[in-house]
Each structure stands twice: as C-alpha cells, then as structure tokens.
Amino acid sequence: MSETNRSGLGRVTELDRKLAATEIEHARSAGSYDGQEAARRLARVRLATSHAALRRAVDGVSGEAAPALLEAAPGFAARLFLLVGGVNVLIWLFIGAIGGQWDPLWLIWVLLGGGVLVAGVWGVRDWDRRLRATAGDAS
C-alpha cells in the first residue's frame, strides 16, 4: 500500500487494494503468518474504505481507527497558526513602522497563545493514539 495518504483521508483505489494484497501475500510466503491469517487480512483489505483501515488490515491490527479528522487536525492547526502568526507579525511591523510603538508583549502573547493551542491539538491526537494502542494491546 502506498504511504502517500497517511492521514486516512481520501478514497481507497483498486491499486491500493492490490498493493496491500501483495504485501500480505509476500509476508505469508516469507512465513510471517499462515494461510488462514492471510485470508483474514485479505478479507479486511477487500472491505477497507479508508487508507487507515487498509493499513490496519495489512498490519493485522484490530480495533477502531482514529477519526480521519483527528489525524488531520494537527497539520491543519499548525498551518492556520503559521498563517495567523504571520499576519500578526506583519500588523505588528506596520504599527511599529508607522506609529513608532513597538510593543513586543502584544506579539509574544499572540504567538505564544497560538503555539499553546497548536501544541494542545497535537497532544490530544497523540493521547488518542496512545489510548488506542493500549486498547489494542489489551484485546
């Protein structure tokens, strides 16, 4: 399976399914697992509707995957923070150049607050991943 869509967004194509099936067949021929396990994984590949579900089928991981939005949220939050932070820096530079008032605390609070929010989004996503990993280990 291609690694191009790690976030789990987008449709699974027949090529993705064929690549996943090839990975499973290769692992079976290498002796990683028997024919029954390979058949179970191939059935999950045929039923996969997202890239995350396809990856779980190849890896043999059971359980529920994280929502695609939760996986994509940190990247979106970081890009939004960079955009808003860049606009704020430009505004701060214009105010300083035009009015001569260089208030560094305003810029620090804007950038620090946004950075804390982005770190929180990353933390929630990683926390969810850890919870799902421990739940998968317990089953």
Side-chain angles (χ1 to χ4, degrees), residues 4 6-7 10 13 17 23 27 32 36-37 43-44 49-50 54 59 67 74 76 82 84 89 103-104 126 129 138:
T4 57
R6 296 181 189 176
S7 65
T13 64
R17 284 192 175 93
E23 279 188 52
S32 297
Q36 186 178 11
E37 178 65 22
R44 290 178 60 197
T49 57
S50 70
L54 197 60
D59 293 340
F76 176 74
L82 289 175
V84 170
V89 166
D103 185 12
D126 289 341
R129 282 183 175 177

Side-chain angles (χ1 to χ4, degrees), residues 54-90:
L54 197 60
R55 187 79 252 159
R56 283 193 327 275
V58 170
D59 293 340
V61 178
S62 60
E64 186 179 320
L69 184 60
L70 182 61
E71 288 295 317
F76 176 74
R79 286 189 293 274
L80 183 64
F81 168 66
L82 289 175
L83 176 70
V84 170
V87 169
N88 275 290
V89 166
L90 287 175

Side-chain angles (χ1 to χ4, degrees), residues 36-53:
Q36 186 178 11
E37 178 65 22
R40 187 176 18 252
R41 290 182 187 201
L42 286 171
R44 290 178 60 197
V45 163
R46 283 190 295 275
L47 296 175
T49 57
S50 70
H51 289 274

Side-chain angles (χ1 to χ4, degrees), residues 73-74 76-86 88 105-122:
F76 176 74
R79 286 189 293 274
L80 183 64
F81 168 66
L82 289 175
L83 176 70
V84 170
N88 275 290
L105 289 179
W106 173 73
L107 185 63
I108 290 172
W109 280 112
V110 168
L111 296 178
L112 185 65
V116 167
L117 289 174
V118 170
V121 171
W122 279 89

